[in-house]
């Protein structure tokens, strides 16, 4: 064997004992650490200190309000992610509202006067604001009190004003996001409207004009992020995000990223949203109708859970994990099992609700539904598939870079490969792949490694003497998602 050194000159004549120290990676038994790093793509208010299209590292939930403004989309997304995940390295980057955008509005129209004292509970998104009512209070008095109480909540997503008995709430942000904010009066089963008082609620609507997400994507193009969370779900934004994620997944870019987004709406609206993209890199938050928690909070919460759990084990499904702080829709607004199954065929994830109202993930899927020629396919359906393949690719690249950093290339059977530790052959590379696959199989990321390694191949390129081409087969680990049984009884 010819021994070579990186630090000791080959023609050194000075007497002495010289020892260089270097790690050897060819027998590394574990995988290389996955550098999970998430970024929130958010909208900011003028009250936030953040500069537009500038990346900020987030370590505390309170940074959301200071950077992006209290009650902003960015504020809520930071809080939702941090409630679900306190350890993953988190960043955020924001845009101000689109200049010619329009703010969504809604109303609470009160009637009176009250004939008895009582309390009104006004809900804006998942904020509950209670207002005391005295006997004989007029509609005008009640409206003014409600507007004042809403205005006093700094992190509310809306502003409020009153004219006679009509309270108009206006989204703090311009854009479509404000349309998703839910309004309600006395929604709980034990809420009681004061005698003589009535209220008609008009849902938020009219918001339009989202910022251009490509401005943010250009700003973070060179950065490594494993997860990005979007506040925008319009077709233009989702298409741009899908194209950006696809480009980052290519062999020449290898900056794999998952785009988390939050679809909200009726069953029909969710089906439309799921059809906007056909991407293996876009896991959706569970589709919900009339949840008090806004869709960007659902997306950030899912990202917090998924980025932590998939870093620990990319092949393990997320079913049963809770989304902390996320409000479940009322029972009447939840989808039936048949509707949930149809949503899972439309690129929309699903959820379940505990008796105490806790929202739990059911099946988290991507928007991938068909091949490039339009044939139905479930190849990239579950979030675990692209997550596992990203992890394997990252580990293989790290392993080969560490094991063969400056190696020469020879053909199989070369005497140089037998005697020199700095010469590699296609057969040696195939052996390294087999060893790594054993690690992946022990981790439960892949299955049938003996078979797939046998169907993998490494060969020298016919035209480029410095290149090896390979086909590396794996079979991603399955998950127990459906257990179908036939229970027979004897008669």
């Amino acid at each position: 064997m010819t021994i070579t050194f990186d630090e000791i000159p080959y023609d050194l004549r000075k007497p002495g004992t010289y020892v260089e120290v270097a790690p050897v990676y060819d027998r590394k038994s574990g995988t290389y650490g996955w550098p999970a790093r998430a970024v929130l793509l958010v909208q900011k208010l003028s009250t936030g200190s953040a500069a537009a299209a500038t990346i900020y590292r987030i370590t505390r939930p309170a940074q959301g309000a200071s950077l992006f403004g209290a009650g902003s989309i960015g504020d809520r997304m930071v809080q939702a992610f941090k409630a679900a995940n306190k350890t993953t390295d988190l960043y955020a980057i924001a845009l101000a509202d689109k200049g010619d955008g329009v703010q969504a509005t809604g109303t609470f129209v009160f009637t009176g006067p009250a004939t008895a004292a009582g309390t009104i509970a006004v809900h804006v998104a998942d904020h509950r604001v209670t207002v005391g009512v005295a006997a004989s209070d007029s509609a005008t008095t009640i409206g003014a009190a409600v507007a004042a109480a809403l205005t006093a909540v700094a992190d509310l997503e809306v502003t409020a004003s009153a004219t006679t008995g009509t309270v108009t709430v206006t989204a703090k942000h311009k854009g479509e996001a404000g349309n998703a904010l839910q309004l309600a009066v006395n929604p709980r089963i034990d809420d009681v409207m004061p005698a003589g008082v009535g209220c008609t609620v008009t849902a938020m609507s009219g918001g339009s004009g989202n910022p251009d997400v490509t401005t943010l994507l250009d700003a973070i193009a060179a950065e490594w992020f494993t997860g990005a969370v979007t506040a925008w779900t319009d077709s233009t934004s989702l298409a741009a995000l899908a194209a950006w994620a696809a480009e980052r997944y290519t062999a020449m870019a290898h900056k794999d990223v998952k785009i988390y987004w939050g679809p909200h709406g009726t069953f029909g609206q969710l089906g439309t949203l799921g059809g906007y993209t056909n991407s293996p890199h876009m896991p959706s938050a569970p589709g919900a109708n009339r949840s008090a928690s806004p869709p960007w909070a659902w997306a950030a919460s899912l990202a917090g859970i998924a980025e932590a759990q998939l870093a620990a084990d990319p092949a393990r499904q997320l079913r049963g994990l809770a989304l902390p702080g996320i409000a479940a829709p009322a029972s009447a607004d939840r989808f039936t099992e048949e509707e949930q199954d149809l949503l899972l065929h439309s690129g929309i994830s699903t959820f379940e609700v505990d008796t105490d109202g806790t929202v739990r993930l059911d099946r988290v899927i991507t928007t991938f539904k068909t091949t490039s020629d339009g044939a139905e396919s479930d190849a990239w359906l579950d979030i675990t598939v692209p997550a596992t393949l990203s992890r394997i690719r990252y580990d293989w690249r790290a392993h080969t870079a560490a094991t063969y950093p400056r190696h020469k290339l020879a053909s199989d059977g070369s005497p140089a490969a037998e005697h020199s530790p700095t010469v590699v052959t296609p057969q040696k590379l195939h052996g390294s792949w087999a060893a790594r696959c054993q690690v992946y199989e022990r981790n439960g990321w892949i299955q049938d490694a003996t078979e797939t390694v046998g169907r993998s191949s490494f060969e020298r390129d016919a035209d480029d003497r410095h290149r090896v081409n390979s086909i590396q087969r794996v079979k991603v680990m399955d998950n127990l998602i459906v257990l179908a049984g036939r229970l027979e009884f004897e008669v």
Side-chain angles (χ1 to χ4, degrees):
M1 175 181 291
T2 301
I3 299 175
T4 60
F5 298 95
D6 293 324
E7 301 169 0
I8 302 172
Y10 78 96
D11 58 352
L12 180 67
R13 294 185 178 181
K14 178 69 172 67
T17 300
Y18 304 91
V19 180
E20 65 180 53
V21 180
V24 176
Y25 295 96
D26 58 354
R27 295 187 182 276
K28 179 176 171 61
S29 59
T31 55
Y32 290 79
W34 175 250
R37 195 168 182 251
V39 61
L40 307 177
L41 311 176
V42 309
Q43 259 175 273
K44 69 175 292 291
L45 298 171
S46 60
T47 53
S49 63
T54 301
I55 302 173
Y56 293 88
R57 193 176 194 180
I58 306 297
T59 58
R60 301 183 180 189
Q63 286 178 265
S66 61
L67 286 170
F68 312 119
S72 67
I73 289 173
D75 181 14
R76 185 57 192 275
M77 289 176 70
V78 167
Q79 291 184 47
F81 189 100
K82 281 296 185 182
N85 182 338
K86 294 178 174 60
T87 57
T88 296
D89 201 10
L90 179 64
Y91 296 77
I93 183 170
L95 287 175
D97 293 347
K98 192 172 185 289
D100 59 357
V102 179
Q103 293 162 285
T105 61
T107 59
F108 299 94
V109 180
F110 293 95
T111 58
T115 58
T119 300
I120 298 174
V122 178
H123 284 225
V124 176
D126 46 12
H127 297 270
R128 178 179 172 90
V129 180
T130 58
V131 179
V133 175
S136 78
D137 276 355
S138 66
T140 298
T141 300
I142 295 169
V146 168
L150 293 175
T151 301
V153 182
D155 61 347
L156 202 64
E157 292 90 345
V158 300
T159 59
S161 61
T163 302
T164 62
T166 299
V167 178
T168 300
V169 293
T170 303
K172 288 182 176 178
H173 280 292
K174 297 177 181 179
E176 297 176 18
N179 299 329
L181 297 172
Q182 299 298 313
L183 307 180
V185 171
N186 288 359
R188 296 180 180 174
I189 193 170
D190 55 345
D191 288 331
V192 178
M193 187 71 78
V197 179
C199 184
T200 301
V201 180
T202 300
M204 299 288 287
S205 65
S208 64
N210 288 337
D212 184 359
V213 70
T214 58
T215 303
L216 299 185
L217 301 184
D218 291 343
I220 62 175
E223 299 285 336
W224 168 267
F225 289 112
T226 56
V229 192
T230 177
W232 308 288
T233 59
D234 60 282
S235 59
T236 301
S237 296
L238 291 178
L241 287 159
W244 182 72
E247 191 281 328
R248 287 174 69 94
Y249 199 76
T250 61
M252 301 308 295
H254 49 75
K255 290 186 175 71
D256 303 6
V257 65
K258 299 178 288 296
I259 307 293
Y260 299 94
W261 62 291
H264 263 42
T266 64
F267 174 76
Q269 290 169 335
L270 288 173
T272 299
L273 285 170
Y276 284 162
T277 59
N278 183 50
S279 171
H281 314 298
M282 297 190 72
S284 76
N289 185 31
R290 295 183 56 80
S291 165
S293 296
W296 48 91
W298 282 74
S301 184
L302 170 64
I305 293 296
E307 286 299 292
Q309 296 296 324
L310 296 176
D313 188 342
R316 189 179 184 187
Q317 64 177 312
L318 304 178
R319 184 181 182 186
L321 299 177
L323 298 180
I326 297 300
S331 296
D333 294 319
R334 299 174 197 166
F335 300 114
T336 65
E337 288 194 3
E338 291 78 8
E339 289 169 333
Q340 291 181 66
D341 189 63
L342 290 170
L343 289 174
L344 287 168
H345 284 82
S346 302
I348 303 296
S349 301
T350 53
F351 67 97
E352 298 291 344
V353 181
D354 291 349
T355 55
D356 65 356
T358 300
V359 174
R360 296 189 181 277
L361 298 172
D362 181 35
R363 189 169 188 176
V364 180
I365 63 169
T366 72
T367 64
F368 180 83
K369 298 171 287 293
T370 62
T371 62
S372 58
D373 59 1
E376 289 189 8
S377 172
D378 62 358
W380 298 90
L381 176 65
D382 289 287
I383 188 176
T384 52
V385 174
T388 301
L389 294 172
S390 289
R391 190 66 175 273
I392 290 174
R393 178 163 69 172
Y394 180 89
D395 183 84
W396 174 245
R397 293 184 68 248
H399 177 75
T400 54
T403 307
Y404 308 111
R406 297 176 55 226
H407 279 58
K408 296 168 281 187
L409 175 63
S411 298
D412 292 333
S414 166
E418 182 179 350
H419 296 284
S420 173
T422 60
V423 175
V424 69
T425 66
Q427 187 176 26
K428 279 189 175 181
L429 289 170
H430 199 163
S432 290
W433 173 244
R436 298 313 289 168
C437 282
Q438 291 178 5
V439 175
Y440 307 149
E441 189 166 38
R442 287 197 301 269
N443 286 351
W445 297 357
I446 64 173
Q447 54 190 317
D448 301 333
T450 300
E451 174 189 345
T452 56
V453 166
R455 289 190 284 147
S456 301
S457 62
F458 291 74
E459 61 183 28
R460 296 191 71 174
D461 189 271
D463 300 314
D464 186 345
R465 295 178 299 119
H466 307 289
R467 171 171 168 168
V468 172
N469 299 323
S470 66
I471 295 176
Q472 294 163 258
R473 290 287 185 90
V474 294
K475 186 183 292 185
V476 175
M477 182 63 71
D478 301 316
N479 278 274
L480 177 59
I481 294 177
V482 178
L483 177 60
R486 176 183 173 91
L487 181 61
E488 297 184 345
F489 65 98
E490 295 185 2
V491 295

